[in-house]
Amino acid sequence: MRLFGDPATSAALPTAAERVRSILAAAHSMTVITDGLRSEVRHLDGGDPMGRLHLHPAEPGGHAEHRPAIRLEFTDVAPTPVRDRVRARVTVLGRLLTPYSDLSAESGAESTCMEFERAELQTAEGIAYIGLEELDEAGPDPLAAYEAGMLTHLLDDHHDLVTLLLRLVQPQPTAAVVRALPLAMDRYGITLRLEERRGHRDVRLPFPSPLDDVEQSGAQIQALFSAARRRSHRNTLPA
């Protein structure tokens, strides 16, 4: 489905490394697998685990086999009740350099050191592999910590504006679309999920310009609403 706006702007998407950092920054929990044990770590709210986990590059010729393997798993779930709510899965693989300690924000334990092997981002488009240098250079999206609240507020309190945004979708949704919900939001734009009687599809509406700070989000979102109102075509999606 074609996107609204300038083609160059429409193509702007977070990199795989940025998506990983954003998912980690917004994570509420993760699964840790090490020494054959699987444990759930919760209460990550407000504490990016990368701030408590020191990642080190693998040393060529190192005695990796003598270090316990560790696997960190994160699931990115849409905050709105769309079909197929899992948006992505992130796996961080490596070996422990220090004894594992609880990485939750509430823990007083010291940081864990990990010899980094790779990070994996699994989405509907496939799997991307991210190296340590890419991960270090990337930062979380400025909306990452606020996205869930912003999307649920838009859906619960302003659903009419979600319908309004459909005027920006080209070609226009047909009667096969029975429901439209906000799926994601990042510094580059909003993604809507159009649910049909059979299956669904996602459309991306880019902001006029990428955000540098969450404080800029209101103006950019209003710009999308204004552009939608200027469209003469009235959408026919059932309420």
Side-chain angles (χ1 to χ4, degrees):
M1 175 171 287
R2 184 163 63 87
L3 305 176
F4 164 77
D6 177 74
T9 302
S10 299
L13 294 167
T15 66
E18 288 171 341
R19 286 202 65 184
V20 168
R21 290 301 306 270
S22 297
I23 290 170
L24 299 188
H28 293 273
S29 64
M30 69 177 175
T31 301
V32 180
I33 304 170
T34 187
D35 282 335
L37 300 176
R38 184 184 187 95
S39 60
E40 297 296 324
V41 178
R42 304 186 184 279
H43 308 299
L44 291 177
D45 306 359
D48 184 340
M50 291 299 100
R52 300 187 60 81
L53 187 67
H54 292 174
L55 303 181
H56 300 268
E59 297 181 7
H63 301 289
E65 67 275 8
H66 302 302
R67 299 168 185 155
I70 184 171
R71 178 187 182 99
L72 311 179
E73 298 178 345
F74 303 82
T75 302
D76 177 31
V77 180
T80 53
V82 297
R83 295 176 188 167
D84 189 10
R85 292 185 66 179
V86 175
R87 301 185 298 190
R89 299 183 189 275
V90 170
T91 304
V92 180
L93 300 166
R95 291 186 176 273
L96 284 174
L97 297 176
T98 60
Y100 168 69
S101 58
D102 189 346
L103 300 175
S104 70
E106 296 180 354
S107 171
E110 294 182 359
S111 299
T112 294
C113 290
M114 173 180 174
E115 184 177 81
F116 180 89
E117 292 180 3
R118 70 179 183 275
E120 299 176 357
L121 173 68
Q122 181 179 0
T123 66
E125 289 74 39
I127 299 179
Y129 300 95
I130 300 97
L132 183 56
E133 184 175 350
E134 294 176 274
L135 206 59
D136 282 342
E137 292 178 351
D141 192 276
L143 301 186
Y146 309 94
E147 181 203 21
M150 294 170 75
L151 291 181
T152 54
H153 174 72
L154 179 61
L155 178 62
D156 295 342
D157 299 333
H158 304 286
H159 189 265
D160 57 318
L161 296 179
V162 178
T163 304
L164 175 66
L165 290 176
L166 294 179
R167 300 184 186 183
L168 301 178
V169 176
Q170 297 296 323
Q172 278 283 288
T174 66
V177 176
V178 296
R179 191 168 70 154
L181 298 172
L183 172 68
M185 186 185 303
D186 55 56
R187 66 191 301 257
Y188 298 106
I190 298 175
T191 300
L192 303 180
R193 172 154 293 175
L194 307 187
E195 298 182 350
E196 301 178 348
R197 292 183 177 87
R198 295 182 179 179
H200 60 261
R201 53 182 172 168
D202 299 337
V203 295
R204 190 165 175 82
L205 305 177
F207 292 137
S209 60
L211 305 176
D212 296 317
D213 187 273
V214 66
E215 299 298 329
Q216 301 171 358
S217 60
Q220 296 283 17
I221 294 171
Q222 288 300 323
L224 286 184
F225 293 150
S226 296
R229 292 187 182 97
R230 290 194 295 269
R231 290 293 175 100
S232 59
H233 185 83
R234 298 179 64 84
N235 93 81
T236 57
L237 182 66

